[in-house]
Amino acid sequence: MTAAVPAVLCAGLTHVYRDGNTQVTALDEVDLRVEGGEAVALVGPSGAGKSTLLTLLAGLVRPTSGRIEVQGSDVRAMSERDLLRMRARDLGMVLQTPARNLVPYATARANVAFAQRFSGVSRRDRHAEAGDLLDSVGLGDQADSLAAVMSGGQQQRLALAVALAGRPAVLLADEPTSQLDRHTGDVVIALMLAARERHGTALVVVTHDHHVSDALDVEYAIHDGSLVAGSWLASAAVRAAGPGEGFGDGPADAAIKSIGDDLCAEPG
């Protein structure tokens, strides 16, 4: 039996850049494998290289050395045209600041439809699909509102809808809950997990929030450009909480499960 192609594969990935007269190693010989449908958290201190890794995976920056594959395709060997096609068809991205994901003067529906422009679906069908996706993120009644006038929480959910518009094989999310209150953050976590359950989307999520990392399958820590398995986010408060107080047992976690169950349910 042929082994499944991983959604993301990095081998010996190194990225070095210059900051004035100083040479900085942002990533050093990183090896990472993410299977289809797997949900991975990248944690670690600010400046450790987490966001750099996401930009390399998306082909926004070229690495110094090493190998990157997305859905079996060699990202380093791609032309700029091929990279654009990959980002349109295989990748969804959620940046830290929601507004950076959106066209501010366009409606919510138009933002989602714009993200579908390379899907090969007719304009009429894209319009219908955009409406369905906005409903799934709780923005059906805001479909004709401009992105610029939405609240931060609405923009974050719209950014996720845009990122998921093409049912990407891989979702790259950089601090997707950093500007949200806990309830809205729970909604975003549930939406990402729903995409994994419904479409097999692999999730690679940069976070400083143990509440997010605990909801995912695997946690890797990045320290000084090196990737290690671990639980850098574990705090004394979390450890002291004892059994029954981790992810999956608190009120907020029950809310995530409830939201996720609703989103994963097929329409009747």
Side-chain angles (χ1 to χ4, degrees):
M1 180 180 293
T2 303
V5 174
V8 171
L9 181 65
C10 300
L13 187 62
T14 297
H15 185 61
V16 180
Y17 67 92
R18 298 197 67 83
D19 183 7
N21 294 323
T22 304
Q23 184 169 282
V24 179
T25 301
L27 293 172
D28 186 15
E29 295 287 330
V30 166
D31 295 326
L32 174 66
R33 183 185 179 102
V34 181
E35 304 295 346
E38 188 175 16
V40 171
L42 298 177
V43 303
S46 297
K50 305 183 301 297
S51 296
T52 298
L53 179 54
L54 289 194
T55 62
L56 294 175
L57 293 178
L60 297 172
V61 176
R62 301 280 186 173
T64 303
S65 62
R67 181 162 53 120
I68 310 173
E69 293 182 6
V70 173
Q71 291 293 97
S73 297
D74 184 350
V75 174
R76 291 192 70 194
M78 290 183 183
S79 66
E80 290 301 320
R81 186 185 185 91
D82 290 337
L83 287 170
L84 286 172
R85 186 178 295 111
M86 177 192 73
R87 287 192 287 266
R89 296 179 178 176
D90 294 326
L91 291 181
M93 292 192 70
V94 178
L95 303 176
Q96 244 185 88
T97 305
R100 293 177 58 197
N101 292 82
L102 307 173
V103 181
Y105 52 81
T107 65
R109 190 191 304 275
N111 268 275
V112 174
F114 184 71
Q116 297 171 314
R117 65 195 185 282
F118 296 123
S119 65
V121 178
S122 70
R123 184 179 298 242
R124 183 179 64 183
D125 289 342
R126 290 203 307 266
H127 183 85
E129 288 184 11
D132 292 341
L133 186 54
L134 288 170
D135 285 338
S136 77
V137 298
L139 292 175
D141 60 347
Q142 299 291 322
D144 297 318
S145 297
L146 297 180
V149 304
M150 290 183 167
S151 69
Q154 289 172 330
Q155 287 186 343
Q156 191 71 68
R157 283 181 284 151
L158 177 57
L160 186 60
V162 169
L164 295 175
R167 297 185 180 182
V170 181
L171 176 68
L172 307 176
D174 194 354
E175 299 284 4
T177 64
S178 62
Q179 299 187 32
L180 304 179
D181 59 40
R182 176 50 59 86
H183 172 72
T184 309
D186 287 347
V187 172
V188 167
I189 296 170
L191 292 171
M192 292 190 295
L193 293 176
R196 184 265 291 273
E197 295 300 324
R198 295 189 68 176
H199 307 304
T201 299
L203 311 177
V204 182
V205 182
V206 167
T207 184
H208 283 92
D209 186 351
H210 72 82
H211 191 65
V212 176
S213 64
D214 285 349
L216 307 184
D217 300 326
V218 183
E219 178 182 303
Y220 293 103
I222 298 184
H223 292 276
D224 297 326
S226 296
L227 184 73
V228 296
S231 54
W232 176 84
L233 287 172
S235 65
V238 173
R239 291 193 298 270
E245 295 299 328
F247 183 85
D249 297 298
D253 308 308
I256 292 176
K257 184 178 186 303
S258 175
I259 294 167
D261 289 345
D262 289 343
L263 291 170
C264 290
E266 295 294 338

